[in-house]
């Protein structure tokens, strides 16, 4: 039961992170995370779904227009085990302003957030907590984002 609950919190955590990003970077709401097109003409975030916890047994790749899932009682796909999966979302975000942005990740499971290849926020424990981090971004520039 703990693994199912942890997965729910991890997914909810990403949803919370997306909400924080939408507030911090208004361009995200219209450019990428809300599911409209970005610089590479992709909608949403690329989701890679693995049938293990170490991101080595890829089973499914899809574009998720939004990230707001509740897998407490199941898994993302019938080909993926209920208690032994992990997800990596990738995409791009655009900064509206040249300034330092603070990112927050709150949840009850493992989470890592990378912006422009830099680890910005990490919580690597199964207890409830918040990871924060800052990164300077330049107005008008697109940055790679990755959440695991």
């Amino acid at each position: 039961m703990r693994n199912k609950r942890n997965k729910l919190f991890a997914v909810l955590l990403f949803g919370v992170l997306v909400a924080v990003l939408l507030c911090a970077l208004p361009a995200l709401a219209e450019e990428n995370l809300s599911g409209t097109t970005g610089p590479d003409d992709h909608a949403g975030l690329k989701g890679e779904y693995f049938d293990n916890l170490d991101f080595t047994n890829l089973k499914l790749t899809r574009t998720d227009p939004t990230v707001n899932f509740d897998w407490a009682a199941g898994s993302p796909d019938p080909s993926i085990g209920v208690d032994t999966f992990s997800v990596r979302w990738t995409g791009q975000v655009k900064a509206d302003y040249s300034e330092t942005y603070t990112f927050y990740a709150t949840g009850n499971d493992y989470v890592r957030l990378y912006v422009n290849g830099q680890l910005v926020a990490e919580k690597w424990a199964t207890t409830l907590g918040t990871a924060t981090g800052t990164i300077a971004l330049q107005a008008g520039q697109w940055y790679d984002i990755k959440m695991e």
Side-chain angles (χ1 to χ4, degrees):
M1 180 62 157
R2 183 178 178 110
N3 283 342
K4 290 179 185 177
R5 187 176 65 198
N6 288 344
K7 284 182 180 46
L8 170 63
F9 282 115
V11 170
L12 291 175
L13 164 66
F14 191 72
V16 169
L17 175 66
V18 169
V20 169
L21 290 173
L22 292 175
C23 292
L25 300 172
L28 296 179
E30 295 181 7
E31 299 293 339
N32 266 15
L33 297 181
S34 67
T36 58
T37 58
D40 295 328
D41 207 24
H42 296 284
L45 296 173
K46 176 183 175 184
E48 297 174 291
Y49 294 81
F50 299 84
D51 192 20
N52 58 11
L53 299 176
D54 65 0
F55 302 98
T56 58
N57 189 14
L58 181 64
K59 289 289 188 172
L60 172 70
T61 300
R62 67 183 186 202
T63 299
D64 292 319
T66 59
V67 178
N68 185 15
F69 301 104
D70 179 356
W71 293 310
S75 75
D77 188 79
S79 68
I80 298 173
V82 174
D83 290 327
T84 59
F85 67 90
S86 54
V87 184
R88 176 181 294 132
W89 286 281
T90 55
Q92 292 188 314
V93 296
K94 181 181 178 185
D96 274 345
Y97 307 99
S98 293
E99 61 187 29
T100 299
Y101 291 86
T102 300
F103 292 85
Y104 301 86
T106 300
N108 193 33
D109 210 346
Y110 308 113
V111 63
R112 291 183 290 216
L113 172 68
Y114 297 86
V115 178
N116 202 33
Q118 178 182 331
L119 181 61
V120 173
E122 178 179 39
K123 190 182 80 59
W124 212 240
T126 58
T127 58
L128 182 62
T130 300
T132 63
T134 61
I135 187 169
L137 304 177
Q138 297 300 310
Q141 186 169 337
W142 287 93
Y143 295 90
D144 291 334
I145 187 167
K146 176 172 72 170
M147 181 77 159
E148 300 176 329

